[in-house]
């Protein structure tokens, strides 16, 4: 197998979903531009160009409100599954492993192996930070995209109000407005439903060959077992 083929094989999950993300982003931009221009034409206003739409608040708020809900899902799931359990689910740890687990289980400090990351072998602040780095980064992505949603959202909201000759909102007014929380909670409830559904349905249903499923023949009560 050539180096290029090996790279594609070893990174196919990221590459496929990354490419799909870019394609859907392009599709969202195209359909969003068409929708905005249809609304502008219907209001006897000048349509916007592709460049103006991509750098404008309408496109940005739609993107960031989706991103913040996704990162909220991962952030809550990563931290929640440290302590929360679901009997029979491969999405849960074993019922006797709630909590951060021992150094031996986590292969840190003197229990680290030769190929363990460097910060897993050391102690102190570096290990503490690295031990929580995945959840922390997801939290930062969530907070950053949520803040971006609020900034782009107030801009898009005020543009619509100005077209109707209404007084624009300040950022703080918008953050407590019905529009902002309607957008936010619509996304949050769908993500939380997806997490809850995956946790409970994976107890009883199977997908052969997937690490998100238990082996097909595993008992319904088997917990923390992946296929």
């Amino acid at each position: 197998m050539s180096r290029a083929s090996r790279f594609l094989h070893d990174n196919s999950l990221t590459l496929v979903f990354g490419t799909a993300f870019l394609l859907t982003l392009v599709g969202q931009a195209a359909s969003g531009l068409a929708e905005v221009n249809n609304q502008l034409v219907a209001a006897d206003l000048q349509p916007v160009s592709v460049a103006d739409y991509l750098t404008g608040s309408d496109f940005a708020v739609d993107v960031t409100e989706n991103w913040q809900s996704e990162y909220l899902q991962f952030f809550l799931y990563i931290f929640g599954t440290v302590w929360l359990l679901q009997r029979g689910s491969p999405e849960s740890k074993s019922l006797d492993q709630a909590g951060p687990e021992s150094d031996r289980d986590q292969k840190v400090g003197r229990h680290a192996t030769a190929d363990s990351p460097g910060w897993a072998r050391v102690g102190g602040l570096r290990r503490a930070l690295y031990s929580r780095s995945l959840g922390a980064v997801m939290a930062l992505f969530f907070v950053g995209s949520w803040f971006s949603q609020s900034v782009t959202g107030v801009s898009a909201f005020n543009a619509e109000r100005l077209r109707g000759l209404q007084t624009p909102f300040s950022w703080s007014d918008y953050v407590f407005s019905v529009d902002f929380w309607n957008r936010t909670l619509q996304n949050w409830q769908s993500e939380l439903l997806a997490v809850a559904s995956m946790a409970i349905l994976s107890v009883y249903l199977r997908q052969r060959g997937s690490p998100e499923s238990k082996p097909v023949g595993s008992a319904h009560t088997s917990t923390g077992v992946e296929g």
Side-chain angles (χ1 to χ4, degrees):
M1 184 180 291
S2 67
R3 178 176 295 183
S5 298
R6 171 61 65 183
F7 177 82
L8 293 175
H9 176 272
D10 291 352
N11 299 278
S12 58
L13 187 61
T14 299
L15 292 172
V16 168
F17 280 96
T19 301
F21 160 71
L22 293 175
L23 291 174
T24 54
L25 189 63
V26 170
Q28 178 188 346
S31 58
L33 175 63
E35 181 181 9
V36 166
N37 281 338
N38 286 339
Q39 293 173 353
L40 292 173
V41 169
D44 293 325
L45 298 173
Q46 187 69 26
V48 297
S49 66
V50 174
D52 287 339
Y53 177 70
L54 292 179
T55 56
S57 56
D58 284 310
F59 178 66
V61 70
D62 288 340
V63 171
T64 54
E65 75 175 54
N66 285 319
W67 288 7
Q68 59 90 7
S69 63
E70 297 297 335
Y71 283 117
L72 172 69
Q73 175 190 139
F74 287 123
F75 162 65
L76 292 179
Y77 204 60
I78 289 166
F79 275 104
T81 50
V82 174
W83 297 98
L84 304 179
L85 305 169
Q86 174 58 58
R87 182 180 179 86
S89 177
E91 300 296 312
S92 166
K93 295 192 295 184
S94 298
L95 301 179
D96 59 348
Q97 290 185 324
E101 302 177 10
S102 67
D103 287 353
R104 180 186 294 275
D105 291 333
Q106 289 293 308
K107 299 180 181 179
V108 297
R110 62 188 180 88
H111 302 289
T113 60
D115 57 353
S116 294
W119 281 28
R121 290 194 291 269
V122 300
L125 181 60
R126 283 186 295 172
R127 187 201 299 175
L129 290 174
Y130 188 68
S131 297
R132 296 161 180 82
S133 57
L134 180 60
V137 168
M138 291 298 179
L140 287 174
F141 283 161
F142 163 64
V143 172
S145 55
W146 196 20
F147 177 73
S148 298
Q149 178 200 341
S150 70
V151 173
T152 56
V154 70
S155 180
F157 184 69
N158 282 337
E160 186 175 338
R161 287 182 65 85
L162 289 171
R163 285 197 292 268
L165 303 179
Q166 296 175 298
T167 304
F169 277 28
S170 67
W171 176 82
S172 58
D173 288 337
Y174 179 71
V175 168
F176 291 99
S177 70
V178 172
D179 182 82
F180 177 74
W181 284 103
N182 182 48
R183 284 177 173 271
T184 298
L185 293 174
Q186 281 187 55
N187 285 283
W188 287 7
Q189 56 86 15
S190 62
E191 300 303 330
L192 294 172
L193 174 63
V195 170
S197 299
M198 185 63 182
I200 190 62
L201 291 178
S202 60
V203 174
Y204 303 103
L205 306 180
R206 308 286 190 271
Q207 182 59 54
R208 184 170 184 150
S210 174
E212 300 304 313
S213 167
K214 295 185 289 189
V216 177
S218 293
H220 292 325
T221 54
S222 298
T223 308
V225 178
E226 297 181 344

